[in-house]
Amino acid sequence: MESFIDQVTSKVRAEGGRMTAQRRLILDALEDLRGHPTAEEIFDHVRNADPDINLSTVYRTLRWLEENGFVSPRWFEDEKRRERFDPVDRPHAITEHFHFRCRVCNRIIEFDEPLIHELRRKYAADTGAEIESVSFTLYGVCALCKKDTPEQP
Amino acid sequence: MESFIDQVTSKVRAEGGRMTAQRRLILDALEDLRGHPTAEEIFDHVRNADPDINLSTVYRTLRWLEENGFVSPRWFEDEKRRERFDPVDRPHAITEHFHFRCRVCNRIIEFDEPLIHELRRKYAADTGAEIESVSFTLYGVCALCKKDTPEQP
DNA sequence: CATCTAATTGCAAATGTTTTGCAATATCGT
DNA sequence: ACGATATTGCAAAACATTTGCAATTAGATG
Ligand SMILES: [Mn+2]
Ligand SMILES: [Mn+2]
Ligand SMILES: [Zn+2]
Ligand SMILES: [Zn+2]
């Protein structure tokens, strides 16, 4: 299968766009920083390789990737107004999966839950609405962090 | 049962706070504007009664209500960085319910889905995490809007 | 390889939403 | 009615993201 960068490059070309060093770095960062990075986190990461890169380039690239289905934006309630970017490697499918967010270590853990797809169908059937996307996020304390802070006696 | 305003007034008093005209107006607005209003929407609404009220007063009051469990903030993905406020009338329980957001009329429809509570327990049992809150939101086109724009032949 | 042109970049300023410091005002126990 | 202090209005700051524009650069063309 085509690598992430190759997929994106094909699409960029197909749109009459150009593959720049900055875009390559941002795509690399998205592969390295697997955990739903923010634009700022990506920016900090790519600065190592190119200290002159600009944050607005990072945003512009991410928006382009979003419009072309290579990343999905995500929001978590404990970071009200900050956007995170979820790379969607698999070609032609915005893979639907869900997230658990640990309030202690801030890790974001992905999971799938087939019943959610069931609920989605059920809601559509019951109400006559057409569902286009689903967001399901659990918030709490992950098993590891729970172990580190045992409940007080 | 105690009205919303009475509940809040009791709590304000209990904290050594004061019940002001502005707070009363904001609480009224929260009752009038039942559909998950933004701070700005509340602000516009209360301006009718008090043209001198300030937006920062609205925010400060909403934050206080949030800290004291009278409203829950909500975000919807199509309004990335804008917060909405969900009044929680029922005493002492952040009522867990879920939302459907119509991308055409922008209505927010609430629903409950007992299976979600099941999934929550299941995730906790499977992973050892402790779940503190759940967010489940469906996005799409509601039945009414679907009727208005029948699919092209 | 040199040239050309439009796409992309860096920069600085703007945007939109929410927060904050502070002096003036108003609430409520006395 | 008085006084301590909680709350307000205002203006400015904070914060994440977007945008206009002139300078740079990718990559097609000869
Ligand atoms: Mn994800
Ligand atoms: Mn609600
Ligand atoms: Zn954790
Ligand atoms: Zn609708």
Side-chain angles (χ1 to χ4, degrees):
Chain A
M1 66 191 137
E2 246 181 336
S3 76
F4 188 43
I5 296 204
D6 287 347
Q7 283 179 61
V8 173
T9 306
S10 308
K11 184 80 175 208
V12 166
R13 291 275 155 71
E15 315 274 282
R18 297 166 185 182
M19 183 51 52
T20 63
Q22 292 91 330
R23 288 180 173 178
R24 259 185 295 266
L25 286 173
I26 292 164
L27 294 170
D28 288 347
L30 239 12
E31 294 214 304
D32 295 354
L33 271 41
R34 287 234 126 253
H36 308 81
T38 62
E40 194 95 30
E41 285 165 356
I42 293 168
F43 178 55
D44 288 343
H45 188 85
V46 296
R47 248 134 100 78
N48 295 329
D50 175 0
D52 291 335
I53 197 168
N54 195 276
L55 180 57
S56 64
T57 301
V58 174
Y59 274 108
R60 276 190 284 233
T61 300
L62 288 168
R63 291 298 165 226
W64 185 94
L65 291 170
E66 179 185 352
E67 275 155 29
N68 290 276
F70 293 107
V71 302
S72 309
R74 311 268 181 211
W75 285 265
F76 296 90
E77 297 184 358
D78 51 339
E79 311 178 286
K80 310 169 173 286
R81 320 182 53 224
R82 175 179 287 113
E83 196 167 5
R84 294 188 170 272
F85 297 87
D86 201 352
V88 180
D89 292 293
R90 288 144 284 198
H92 287 289
I94 290 193
T95 313
E96 213 149 57
H97 62 253
F98 311 106
H99 299 93
F100 168 85
R101 165 87 170 184
C102 176
R103 111 170 118 70
V104 178
C105 65
N106 288 332
R107 252 185 290 255
I108 293 161
I109 296 159
E110 302 189 321
F111 62 93
D112 194 13
E113 175 47 82
L115 269 180
I116 292 284
H117 307 292
E118 193 56 50
L119 290 185
R120 168 195 177 140
R121 273 190 296 277
K122 189 173 154 225
Y123 185 87
D126 289 357
T127 64
E130 176 173 342
I131 310 297
E132 293 168 344
S133 73
V134 181
S135 152
F136 179 47
T137 309
L138 301 173
Y139 296 86
V141 184
C142 75
L144 274 74
C145 290
K146 234 172 80 180
K147 191 149 54 61
D148 295 347
T149 48
E151 61 276 16
Q152 263 67 314
Chain B
M1 66 190 139
E2 246 181 334
S3 77
F4 188 44
I5 296 205
D6 288 346
Q7 284 178 60
V8 174
T9 307
S10 309
K11 184 81 176 207
V12 166
R13 290 276 155 71
E15 316 273 283
R18 296 167 186 182
M19 183 52 51
T20 63
Q22 291 90 329
R23 286 180 174 178
R24 259 184 294 268
L25 287 173
I26 292 164
L27 295 170
D28 289 348
L30 240 12
E31 293 213 305
D32 295 354
L33 272 39
R34 287 234 124 253
H36 309 79
T38 63
E40 194 95 30
E41 285 165 357
I42 294 170
F43 179 55
D44 289 343
H45 188 85
V46 297
R47 249 134 100 79
N48 296 330
D50 175 0
D52 291 335
I53 198 168
N54 194 276
L55 180 58
S56 64
T57 301
V58 175
Y59 273 109
R60 276 189 285 232
T61 300
L62 288 169
R63 289 298 165 224
W64 185 94
L65 291 170
E66 179 185 352
E67 275 154 29
N68 290 276
F70 293 108
V71 302
S72 309
R74 311 268 181 210
W75 284 265
F76 295 91
E77 296 184 357
D78 51 339
E79 310 179 287
K80 307 167 174 291
R81 323 187 46 233
R82 175 179 290 116
E83 196 167 5
R84 294 188 168 272
F85 296 88
D86 201 351
V88 180
D89 293 293
R90 287 143 282 200
H92 286 291
I94 291 192
T95 313
E96 212 149 59
H97 61 254
F98 312 105
H99 299 92
F100 168 86
R101 165 88 172 184
C102 176
R103 116 172 112 68
V104 177
C105 64
N106 287 332
R107 253 185 290 256
I108 293 161
I109 296 159
E110 302 189 322
F111 62 93
D112 193 14
E113 175 46 83
L115 271 180
I116 292 283
H117 307 293
E118 193 57 51
L119 289 185
R120 169 193 177 139
R121 272 190 296 278
K122 189 171 155 226
Y123 185 88
D126 288 357
T127 64
E130 175 173 343
I131 309 297
E132 293 168 344
S133 73
V134 181
S135 151
F136 179 46
T137 308
L138 301 174
Y139 296 86
V141 184
C142 76
L144 275 74
C145 290
K146 233 172 81 180
K147 191 150 54 60
D148 294 346
T149 48
E151 60 276 15
Q152 264 66 317

